[in-house]
Amino acid sequence: MLRPTTKMLPEYGRGHNRSLVLQTLYRGGRMSRADIARGTGLTRVTISTLVAELIADNLVVEMGQREDARPGKPATILDLNRDAFEIVGIDLSGSSLFRGALLDLDGKILDRAEVELAGSTGDEAAAKVMALAETLIERATRPILGLGVGSPGVIDLAGLVLTAPNLGWTNRSLTLDLSARFGVPVVVVNDANAAALAEHSFGDATGDMMLVKVGHGVGAGLLLDGTPQFGGRFSAGEIGHVVVGTDGGAECVCGKTGCLETWLAVPRLTAALAATTGPEQREKVLWAAGERLGIALAPVVAALDLAELVLSGPSDLLDGTLLTATAETIRARTLREHQGNFVLRMTELGDDIVLRGAAVMVLSGQLGVS
Ligand SMILES: [Zn+2]
């Protein structure tokens, strides 16, 4: 559950209320103890106790006194200690590069590093993840709050990579390996799930949204009622190998024909565009890809009553004709009454979406904020 908003009974509540205070400061910025009490519904006494603990833990800082004309003692302003920590984010979704960054608590990128994948798989690819993490941790100038990794593949809630075919990983304990090596909290999730979290925290997405990430493959991350959905077998959002339509299509790496990826994955789409002979044909290819995405997603949008669908990937391919085709197809295939507030759009987070999502996972896991 992201973004706690209600108070809880004292016997269960300490950790929850602590996160509630941090979340209120994280989103609301500088405010007084009284403001936090009003915002959370907790008593002034509880807030004072929690804030004292959080200051002792270096998570909250006093920023001086509010300058106002009201009579009486001016209130002390508090904020999350935004300069106290750095977060390491790693994105393994690229087909030729592993990318990493140091981020602050607001998800701003402070420093970057990358390592060429050069066709590595298995242990060799895992060693490159270790090396990238090491480089970033060495460069950090503040204590590390945690390390987040967005990886392709099916990953369980403990961060075990059950399968990531492109990297040749099966049951790889990436979380354990990284935390044993560096002694910091580690979170590993699927790259599209990480991207969905980034869009929720930094892209102003609603809590009922799906983010479709188009790259080497096609995957999706899903939030319902503000809660990320992973699925009973941790593969919620794995829509790339769903066959779209009943009219065949190109052969897919998985053995089927006409999977969503055969229309939409970047290598496929780029190849299809390269074979065109003019702008008209090019538009046709982009329209067909967008239409297939719309056909695949219309039932999902309707079944889950999604408010928002966000596309992430190369904007020269996705933004424009393809996006329009997807929107029109979904509109044509769903009930008009439900379309009022439905939004289909590109992400504005660009290529850093997984890195920033990795930071959200750490923030959410360590501080309960997002
Ligand atoms: Zn397939």
Side-chain angles (χ1 to χ4, degrees):
M1 185 69 190
L2 298 171
R3 299 186 185 173
T5 51
T6 51
K7 63 182 176 180
M8 216 180 222
L9 294 171
E11 53 268 44
Y12 306 109
R14 213 184 129 270
H16 176 90
N17 288 343
R18 207 176 132 95
S19 292
L20 192 51
V21 171
L22 291 172
Q23 177 71 57
T24 304
L25 285 168
Y26 185 61
R27 284 280 149 188
R30 300 175 176 202
M31 59 180 80
S32 69
R33 286 171 177 79
D35 297 332
I36 301 172
R38 266 192 298 278
T40 58
L42 293 164
T43 65
R44 295 284 290 272
V45 176
T46 306
I47 294 295
S48 287
T49 311
L50 287 170
V51 165
E53 277 178 28
L54 292 166
I55 290 175
D57 292 345
N58 203 27
L59 291 171
V60 167
V61 278
E62 293 190 331
M63 310 292 294
Q65 298 193 320
R66 180 181 279 155
E67 291 170 26
D68 59 12
R70 276 180 284 180
K73 199 174 145 220
T76 303
I77 298 302
L78 304 166
D79 196 4
L80 201 69
N81 192 356
R82 294 173 198 267
D83 299 326
F85 300 97
E86 285 175 18
I87 298 171
V88 179
I90 292 182
D91 173 6
L92 308 182
S93 67
S95 52
S96 62
L97 276 182
F98 285 163
R99 303 171 68 230
L102 287 166
L103 301 99
D104 69 10
L105 298 196
D106 292 314
K108 197 178 89 187
I109 291 181
L110 305 170
D111 198 357
R112 292 174 188 274
E114 55 186 42
V115 54
E116 295 278 346
L117 196 49
S120 304
T121 56
D123 289 342
E124 212 178 287
K128 290 189 172 174
V129 180
M130 291 286 169
L132 184 56
E134 188 164 29
T135 303
L136 289 161
I137 288 171
E138 277 172 1
R139 283 198 211 158
T141 56
R142 298 169 195 143
I144 302 286
L145 184 66
L147 193 164
V149 182
S151 168
V154 177
I155 298 163
D156 76 8
L157 298 184
L160 180 70
V161 182
L162 301 176
T163 165
N166 291 344
L167 295 171
W169 290 347
T170 308
N171 294 326
R172 182 162 287 269
S173 58
L174 202 54
T175 305
L176 288 176
D177 295 351
L178 285 163
S179 58
R181 170 88 173 266
F182 299 110
V184 298
V186 176
V187 205
V188 180
V189 299
N190 170 272
D191 56 339
N193 289 333
L197 291 173
E199 197 61 36
H200 185 245
S201 283
F202 305 124
D204 288 328
T206 64
D208 289 292
M209 63 89 76
M210 190 178 210
L211 179 134
V212 178
K213 190 170 180 297
V214 180
H216 200 66
V218 178
L222 182 63
L223 260 75
L224 293 179
D225 201 15
T227 306
Q229 306 294 316
F230 300 103
R233 287 162 297 159
F234 319 110
S235 52
E238 291 288 324
I239 56 172
H241 295 285
V242 170
V243 173
V244 192
T246 52
D247 55 348
E251 209 169 293
C252 183
V253 285
C254 74
K256 300 195 291 282
T257 52
C259 290
L260 185 58
E261 284 193 4
T262 64
W263 300 95
L264 199 63
V266 170
R268 296 280 196 154
L269 195 49
T270 311
L273 289 171
T276 60
T277 51
E280 208 169 297
Q281 266 194 22
R282 187 184 157 84
E283 290 295 286
K284 254 188 194 160
V285 167
L286 290 170
W287 187 272
E291 188 177 37
R292 295 286 164 161
L293 180 62
I295 293 170
L297 293 183
V300 179
V301 170
L304 301 178
D305 191 18
L306 293 180
E308 214 170 359
L309 195 58
V310 183
L311 302 192
S312 161
S315 51
D316 57 325
L317 296 177
L318 304 180
D319 204 359
T321 304
L322 194 153
L323 190 79
T324 307
T326 306
E328 286 196 9
T329 306
I330 291 174
R331 206 164 292 136
R333 286 170 175 252
T334 54
L335 273 178
R336 196 172 300 246
E337 298 84 84
H338 292 166
Q339 292 167 3
N341 57 358
F342 175 74
V343 173
L344 172 66
R345 62 177 174 86
M346 286 295 297
T347 178
E348 285 172 14
L349 302 182
D351 291 341
D352 292 332
I353 193 165
V354 174
L355 291 175
R356 297 182 76 189
V360 176
M361 281 139 42
V362 171
L363 283 164
S364 169
Q366 293 305 302
L367 305 181
V369 304
S370 66

